[in-house]
Amino acid sequence: MADLVVNDRLTIPEAELRFTFSRSPGPGGQNVNKVNSKATLRWSPATSAALPPAVLHRLLRLAATRISVAGELIISSHEHRDQKRNVEACRDRLRQLVLRASVAPRKRIATRPTGGSVKRRLGDKKRQSDRKQSRGGRHPPGED
């Protein structure tokens, strides 16, 4: 296998990716109980030199549920009948995840509400207040 190219600036070395294989619960026909077709990818992003700190921080936040206690990102696939296609599915999922983390979120530009929207909001609040004030009768003090 070759290095995992995420985009033109990010490449994860193949040496950092570890695969383990086990029996798949999915389709397999007569081979389902004989062939280890489920692929599990393990990668430690915190120790990887491939990721800039900002991308690493976003990746750890994005994939928090997939990271083990040991700090390994775990991705598994058992949707295909053969091991090679499941390995490719794991690599593609990792590539998509790192690609999502590599895009910095846009900064929110603070805006002010328009004068008309403020007027409408305050008018709605006043009408609601008047509606609630008009409900029920007025009780003299002490008659609860």
Side-chain angles (χ1 to χ4, degrees):
M1 289 252 152
D3 292 346
L4 181 62
V5 178
V6 177
N7 60 21
D8 57 340
R9 286 171 279 145
L10 288 174
T11 301
I12 300 171
E14 178 64 30
E16 292 183 6
L17 305 176
R18 281 187 324 131
F19 283 96
T20 56
F21 304 99
S22 58
R23 295 210 174 114
S24 172
Q30 293 175 336
N31 285 332
V32 75
N33 293 324
K34 295 187 272 183
V35 179
N36 291 332
S37 60
K38 178 181 176 181
T40 303
L41 166 67
R42 293 176 179 273
W43 177 55
S44 181
T47 60
S48 176
L51 297 180
V55 175
L56 174 64
H57 179 71
R58 286 192 296 269
L59 178 68
L60 293 177
R61 209 172 55 234
L62 260 176
T65 58
R66 295 179 180 208
I67 296 179
S68 69
V69 178
E72 289 183 324
L73 177 66
I74 300 171
I75 298 174
S76 63
S77 173
H78 57 80
E79 60 212 26
H80 303 289
R81 288 184 184 218
D82 58 321
Q83 199 177 79
K84 190 182 282 188
R85 287 176 63 190
N86 284 328
V87 166
E88 283 306 315
C90 287
R91 287 173 56 96
D92 191 50
R93 285 183 192 160
L94 177 61
R95 189 181 71 73
Q96 294 294 329
L97 193 61
V98 174
L99 197 59
R100 272 184 54 205
S102 69
V103 177
R106 288 181 19 203
K107 297 267 184 189
R108 183 188 181 281
I109 299 170
T111 59
R112 296 189 62 192
T114 63
S117 68
V118 171
K119 239 179 177 174
R120 281 189 298 276
R121 182 179 63 86
L122 293 177
D124 290 345
K125 285 178 67 144
K126 179 69 177 146
R127 277 189 291 283
Q128 182 71 7
S129 174
D130 291 343
R131 184 179 301 141
K132 288 192 169 196
Q133 288 292 321
S134 68
R135 289 181 189 159
R138 298 276 184 239
H139 300 289
E143 282 191 26
D144 288 338

